[in-house]
Amino acid sequence: MAASPLPASSKGPSEKQLTVLTAPLWMPSTSASSRAVAQATGTSQSFVSRTWQNTDRPTDLGPAAAALAREPGRFRLIGFATSAAGSCLVLEKLQRSPSRSVVGLGVASKRRLRTVLAADLLRTDAPSDARAGDSRRFWHALGAQEGERADLFFVVSGQFSLPSGATPDICCSSLWQWQRTFHLLQGASELGMGPALSDLVAQLQTWCRTKRDPFSWISPVVQPAAYALAGSSAAGGIQGRHLRPSGLSDDILMWLRQSLIHAEAIDRMDIPLKTISRKLGVPIGSVRSAVKSLAERGLVTIRRDSSISVRLPSAQDMTEAYLARRALGAIVIRAALGWTAQERQAVEGPLDELRDSVERDDMARAHYADLEFQLGLFATSPLERIPNMLELLTHQAFMHFAVIGVHYAFSPRRILENNCRIVEAIDKADAQAATSAWHSKMDEGLSYMEHQIARLATRRTAISR
């Protein structure tokens, strides 16, 4: 059931806009596409799009906001809280500017960012000090008491109270001002912000559906000392969870891909675990455990106890992998024929992102969107074992793309065309067309990769001489 948002005012969204903005917090579906939100709220898809566009307008919030807008990749989300008094985003300022391997927020992460900001519209009338103990634990876990950390950046709405000695960097006095901080944050790094937004939105949705108490969240990767505290929600404390090895493995995988794609690690195939630990801001012990998981899946090779490498696949390796994906994918797609509207939503977000990538001619973004598309497609199948095999083979293939690095330039438009053909055929329950479209996608990919591997091997041989 939808929660009751704050009343609309001349300085804020209308009642209809409030419903649209807050819908992803209470919708039963995990998809927050414009079509899904329109169906859930009884509005048109164009109205949903216009409402979202309203959050993407620049607003004058002072020099700190201008600095954030210039380099959003230098910030990562580490905390969020909301109460009757207001809301607060806690960002950590990184020491150095992001490298050129930074991939901005994808479509799914942008939707999650809007959902986080919309939580401010659901503030209750409970006393702002109803959970004073939780507030103290929140600031303590962030190391933000008495202004202890100079690297924190506070974005505040309403009268939200900061710890003693801290002042807001951005203070939003109206509902729209807070929602329009989306414009400042949407260019943040997918690697630095994406996993945090995913975790935060999942917990906000649970909070929205079960209780109206003040809410606090801390990123699982803030610091080791905060992990136990962040998992204490059962006792009514801060909302959070322990850092799961699988989540860290995914973060490491994303960082490796970005570094390899942009040639930052291509000449350093021996990658120290200390480098990964420093880049992601997590303990080296956790990195070592996550890397072991990746090695068991054949995604990296542990060279020594303190480093890893990603090898260049042979033409035979690539051929075998593509033939396996070609055959198994056809089985999965046939089983997905006649999918439900809810199952189809698993591929809608990646398709939207692919369309955006084509408009921007953004190969790196298309690379990740295609991976999400394929994994979403496999997840719609009612089969149990084959999708898991395909997922592993697909992750291996995309790691191979990353090894090729800046020289990987398969057309984003062609990726989109192939994926749309697959979806259209499944929509029509046309098994022959769906299988043919998948085979075409795999055959084109294999032909391209064989050519690139041969070129890269030749370059490396020339360099070694």
Side-chain angles (χ1 to χ4, degrees):
M1 182 176 180
S4 299
L6 290 174
S9 71
S10 59
K11 293 185 178 181
S14 67
E15 291 287 351
K16 197 174 177 182
Q17 289 172 323
L18 284 170
T19 303
V20 165
L21 291 171
T22 58
L25 288 162
W26 53 260
M27 285 168 54
S29 169
T30 57
S31 171
S33 66
S34 58
R35 182 165 66 176
V37 171
Q39 290 174 344
T41 58
T43 57
S44 68
Q45 194 169 350
S46 61
F47 180 81
V48 173
S49 297
R50 289 196 303 272
T51 300
W52 286 351
Q53 289 169 6
N54 236 324
T55 68
D56 193 15
R57 293 182 179 179
T59 184
D60 185 10
L61 290 170
L68 176 59
R70 281 195 303 272
E71 288 191 287
R74 289 195 63 184
F75 298 81
R76 67 173 179 176
L77 178 64
I78 63 170
F80 173 76
T82 186
S83 68
S87 301
C88 179
L89 285 168
V90 184
L91 308 176
E92 182 180 35
K93 292 180 281 189
L94 304 179
Q95 293 182 355
R96 294 183 297 176
S97 297
S99 65
R100 60 194 176 97
S101 66
V102 165
V103 174
L105 290 184
V107 170
S109 291
K110 287 180 180 179
R111 289 173 180 165
R112 294 184 183 115
L113 175 58
R114 282 198 187 92
T115 301
V116 169
L117 296 173
D120 184 67
L121 301 171
L122 298 180
R123 291 193 260 128
T124 67
D125 294 328
S128 60
D129 60 350
R131 284 291 184 84
D134 282 352
S135 178
R136 286 193 294 271
R137 287 193 293 272
F138 176 66
W139 296 123
H140 174 73
L142 288 171
Q145 291 179 313
E146 304 297 333
E148 293 170 357
R149 292 186 60 176
D151 62 336
L152 297 185
F153 189 97
F154 301 102
V155 184
V156 171
S157 76
Q159 302 299 316
F160 192 91
S161 297
L162 297 181
S164 176
T167 56
D169 295 277
I170 297 176
C171 189
C172 303
S173 58
S174 73
L175 297 180
W176 265 131
Q177 277 189 339
W178 171 261
Q179 298 304 315
R180 287 172 180 160
T181 57
F182 172 85
H183 177 79
L184 307 176
L185 294 165
Q186 64 172 327
S189 161
E190 176 67 31
L191 178 60
M193 196 83 82
L197 288 170
S198 178
D199 183 65
L200 172 52
V201 166
Q203 293 184 45
L204 274 171
Q205 289 171 331
T206 299
W207 164 77
C208 178
R209 294 165 186 163
T210 59
K211 58 183 178 181
R212 298 264 54 83
D213 293 333
F215 173 93
S216 298
W217 169 89
I218 294 175
S219 169
V221 298
V222 170
Q223 54 185 353
Y227 293 166
L229 177 60
S232 62
S233 60
I238 297 170
Q239 307 296 309
R241 61 167 171 78
H242 290 280
L243 180 64
R244 296 181 295 116
S246 60
L248 180 54
S249 296
D250 289 343
D251 290 350
I252 292 174
L253 204 56
M254 182 179 286
W255 177 80
L256 282 172
R257 284 174 179 149
Q258 290 191 13
S259 298
L260 290 164
I261 285 170
H262 293 273
E264 294 183 354
I266 200 69
D267 296 324
R268 294 181 56 202
M269 300 310 290
D270 190 6
I271 305 169
L273 299 188
K274 288 183 178 179
T275 298
I276 300 173
S277 173
R278 185 177 68 255
K279 290 286 186 180
L280 299 185
V282 295
I284 194 166
S286 299
V287 171
R288 189 171 286 113
S289 175
V291 161
K292 183 179 179 181
S293 173
L294 293 175
E296 290 171 349
R297 293 157 60 192
L299 297 169
V300 301
T301 299
I302 299 177
R303 294 177 63 88
R304 297 190 299 272
D305 188 47
S306 59
S307 66
I308 61 173
S309 67
V310 184
R311 70 181 182 86
L312 175 68
S314 67
Q316 183 64 29
D317 291 337
M318 187 60 64
T319 299
E320 289 181 4
Y322 264 92
L323 288 177
R325 291 171 65 207
R326 189 181 193 274
L328 294 175
I331 295 172
V332 166
I333 285 174
R334 283 178 176 270
L337 295 175
W339 56 9
T340 65
Q342 184 172 2
E343 289 170 338
R344 191 186 191 279
Q345 289 172 357
V347 300
E348 289 179 358
L351 281 177
D352 287 343
E353 189 159 359
L354 270 171
R355 292 187 183 97
D356 184 65
S357 301
V358 169
E359 292 178 4
R360 300 172 184 269
D361 194 26
D362 188 338
M363 183 62 247
R365 182 76 61 80
H367 176 92
Y368 289 105
D370 189 31
L371 172 61
E372 290 184 12
F373 171 84
Q374 293 186 45
L375 297 182
L377 184 62
F378 305 153
T380 66
S381 172
L383 303 177
E384 295 183 3
R385 297 181 181 179
I386 293 179
N388 290 334
M389 300 177 196
L390 264 173
E391 181 174 342
L392 177 56
L393 287 167
T394 302
H395 275 298
Q396 290 174 345
F398 275 78
M399 183 58 84
H400 294 159
F401 301 163
V403 173
I404 291 174
V406 293
H407 302 286
Y408 181 84
F410 193 87
S411 167
R413 185 174 297 279
R414 190 59 187 155
I415 294 173
L416 176 62
E417 290 171 352
N418 281 330
N419 291 355
C420 286
R421 283 181 58 207
I422 293 169
V423 171
E424 289 169 4
I426 296 176
D427 284 342
K428 297 176 182 177
D430 187 335
Q432 183 175 354
T435 302
S436 176
W438 175 259
H439 283 169
S440 176
K441 179 179 176 68
M442 291 296 102
D443 293 345
E444 287 182 25
L446 175 57
S447 176
Y448 181 84
M449 288 298 292
E450 286 177 332
H451 179 65
Q452 292 301 316
I453 287 175
R455 291 182 59 192
L456 187 54
T458 299
R459 283 196 300 271
R460 287 190 172 178
T461 300
I463 291 173
S464 66
R465 290 174 182 172

